[in-house]
Amino acid sequence: MIETLVDPSQLYSVISFSFPTNFKFLGANTRLKFESGSRTVRASSPAITTGKESDESHIFFSNRRRGLIFITALPFLLRHESMEVSGVKAAEPGEEEYLLLKKGIRKVLSKGKAAGVLRLVFHDAGTFEMDNSSAGGMNGSIVNELDRPENAGLRKSLKILEKAKSELDLIQPVSWADIIAVAGAEAVSLCGGPNIPVQLGRLDSTFPDPEGKLPEESLDAPGLKQCFQRKGLSTQELVALSGAHTLGSKGFGNPTVFDNSYFKILLEKPWMSVAGMSTMIGLPSDHALMEDDECLRWIRMYADDQNNFFEDFKSAYIKLVNSGAQWKNS
C-alpha cells in the first residue's frame, strides 16, 4: 500500500482507472473514497475551517496500482457531499497490462528474430484439435516440448522471450501462452505486417501436449486441409497462415519483411527449375498448395491484393492463438 501526501491547492488532475470504480463521500469530514475490489483510493480532509487551519488541509491517496485522476475544483469537492462523475473514461480491461507486455517484448525482439518467434506461436497453438479439448492449443506447453524433433531450433526463440518474461514477472506475472501469442503478433507488425490485437488471460499448461498433432511438412494438399479442418481452420485460413513463411529463410522474398511475396513466388513455382538454389525454395507442404484448385484460388487472390491477405491473416492468427486456450475466470 502506498500513501502520498498531496497539497490540495496543487491537485488539479487525475485518475484514469483500468478497473470499474465507485465514488463515495463518507461522513461529515468530507472524505472521498474510490474503490474497486481490493483496490482503493481515498481522498480525505478535515472539516473545512477558516484561517490558518484551512491552509493545513491535506489529502491522502492510497493506491495499489498506478493511476491519475482529474479533479478540476478540489475546494468544490471538499465542500459538497455529492458529485456527478462525467468525462472519466476507464481503460479497457487489461489494456495497461497489454501495453506493458508489448513494450517488454519490443525490447528483446528484432526483425532478424521475428521468424523464429512466429514459428514458436504456430508450434504451441498448432497442437489443438477440436475433438480433444482437454489438451493442445495455445497454452504455453511448448516450453516442455523443445526436445521434440519438430521443435528443433525453437529453444533460441524461447530464450529471447524468457528475458522479457523475467522482467515483466517482476511487475505483473504473465503466462507463457500470453507472451508467446503477443510476441508473434509483434513480430508480424515489426516486419511491416498488420497490427494484430491479442486478448490476454490465457493459462499455462503444466504438462506437454500430445505428440504428432502438428501438420507434417510432407503432407499433400488434401492432407493439409484435413489436418487444419481438425483444428477448426478452413482452407482459406490454411492458405493465409501459410503466408507467414514469407518471413525467414525459406526463400520467399526478403526474410525480414512481412508481405505477400510468398504467394507471388508460389505462383512462379521456382522449385521446378532444373538447377540453382531455386529448387530449395519452400517446403513440400508449400509446393503442395499449388496443386489444389481451392488453395490456388486464395493464393492468386493474396498475390494480387496484399491488404486482403493482411486482413485474413490477422483474423486467422487471432483464431489460432485462441484455439484450445484455457482462460482466467472462465
Side-chain angles (χ1 to χ4, degrees):
M1 182 76 72
I2 300 173
E3 289 195 353
T4 304
L5 179 62
V6 182
D7 181 351
S9 66
Q10 297 178 2
L11 187 65
Y12 287 98
S13 114
V14 159
I15 291 189
S16 167
F17 289 100
S18 61
F19 44 82
T21 312
N22 294 321
F23 296 76
K24 300 178 182 178
F25 279 90
L26 307 176
N29 287 335
T30 322
R31 296 168 57 212
L32 180 60
K33 180 179 180 182
F34 310 77
E35 60 183 357
S36 174
S38 62
R39 304 174 178 88
T40 302
V41 178
R42 301 176 187 271
S44 63
S45 172
I48 299 302
T49 61
T50 59
K52 184 177 179 180
E53 289 180 348
S54 63
D55 295 331
E56 295 176 352
S57 299
H58 57 271
I59 188 165
F60 287 93
F61 277 77
S62 302
N63 190 4
R64 288 189 180 179
R65 300 184 60 184
R66 294 179 299 173
L68 295 173
I69 192 166
F70 285 93
I71 303 178
T72 58
L74 183 63
F76 174 84
L77 294 180
L78 294 176
R79 288 172 171 82
H80 291 78
E81 295 190 330
S82 65
M83 180 178 77
E84 180 179 350
V85 180
S86 62
V88 181
K89 183 179 182 298
E92 291 298 320
E95 181 179 345
E96 181 181 350
E97 292 81 0
Y98 185 44
L99 294 177
L100 183 67
L101 181 52
K102 291 175 66 173
K103 182 178 180 181
I105 290 169
R106 284 293 179 120
K107 286 181 180 180
V108 301
L109 186 63
S110 65
K111 290 183 178 181
K113 300 171 182 175
V117 169
L118 188 55
R119 180 170 170 248
L120 195 62
V121 176
F122 280 70
H123 283 234
D124 191 34
T127 55
F128 172 74
E129 290 190 352
M130 295 182 68
D131 62 354
N132 185 8
S133 60
S134 62
M138 197 76 226
N139 57 16
S141 67
I142 189 72
V143 302
N144 300 312
E145 301 159 7
L146 297 176
D147 291 333
R148 296 178 181 178
E150 64 268 27
N151 294 331
L154 289 179
R155 194 178 301 276
K156 183 182 297 185
S157 298
L158 194 70
K159 195 74 174 177
I160 294 167
L161 298 185
E162 190 173 34
K163 181 179 179 181
K165 188 177 187 304
S166 62
E167 294 181 2
L168 290 164
D169 282 344
L170 295 175
I171 304 170
Q172 179 167 322
V174 58
S175 68
W176 271 115
D178 274 350
I179 199 170
I180 293 171
V182 175
E186 288 301 295
V188 170
S189 175
L190 180 64
C191 293
N195 293 317
I196 306 174
V198 176
Q199 181 181 350
L200 301 185
R202 296 169 189 78
L203 298 173
D204 284 336
S205 174
T206 57
F207 50 85
D209 286 342
E211 297 189 55
K213 299 298 183 180
L214 294 177
E216 297 177 10
E217 296 178 358
S218 59
L219 286 176
D220 59 12
L224 285 169
K225 291 164 72 172
Q226 290 172 12
C227 179
F228 273 68
Q229 187 175 24
R230 290 195 298 270
K231 302 178 188 303
L233 297 167
S234 66
T235 299
Q236 177 188 6
E237 290 163 334
L238 157 64
V239 176
L241 289 172
S242 296
H245 286 174
T246 191
L247 292 180
S249 58
K250 294 180 177 65
F252 294 104
N254 189 320
T256 61
V257 174
F258 191 96
D259 56 18
N260 65 340
S261 294
Y262 172 81
F263 304 104
K264 293 179 178 180
I265 293 174
L266 277 183
L267 291 173
E268 296 171 1
K269 293 187 176 181
W271 55 89
M272 300 295 289
S273 174
V274 295
M277 294 299 291
S278 296
T279 58
M280 304 298 291
I281 292 177
L283 302 171
S285 55
D286 294 316
H287 308 165
L289 298 178
M290 287 293 297
E291 308 307 319
D292 181 85
D293 289 342
E294 186 181 8
C295 291
L296 183 59
R297 178 164 62 89
W298 293 111
I299 291 170
R300 286 173 173 158
M301 180 180 295
Y302 295 148
D304 290 339
D305 190 338
Q306 180 168 278
N307 289 334
N308 196 347
F309 163 53
F310 278 10
E311 284 302 310
D312 286 351
F313 181 87
K314 177 170 67 174
S315 297
Y317 183 92
I318 292 171
K319 186 174 180 178
L320 177 71
V321 298
N322 289 345
S323 297
Q326 299 296 316
W327 302 91
K328 295 177 183 178
N329 304 320
S330 64

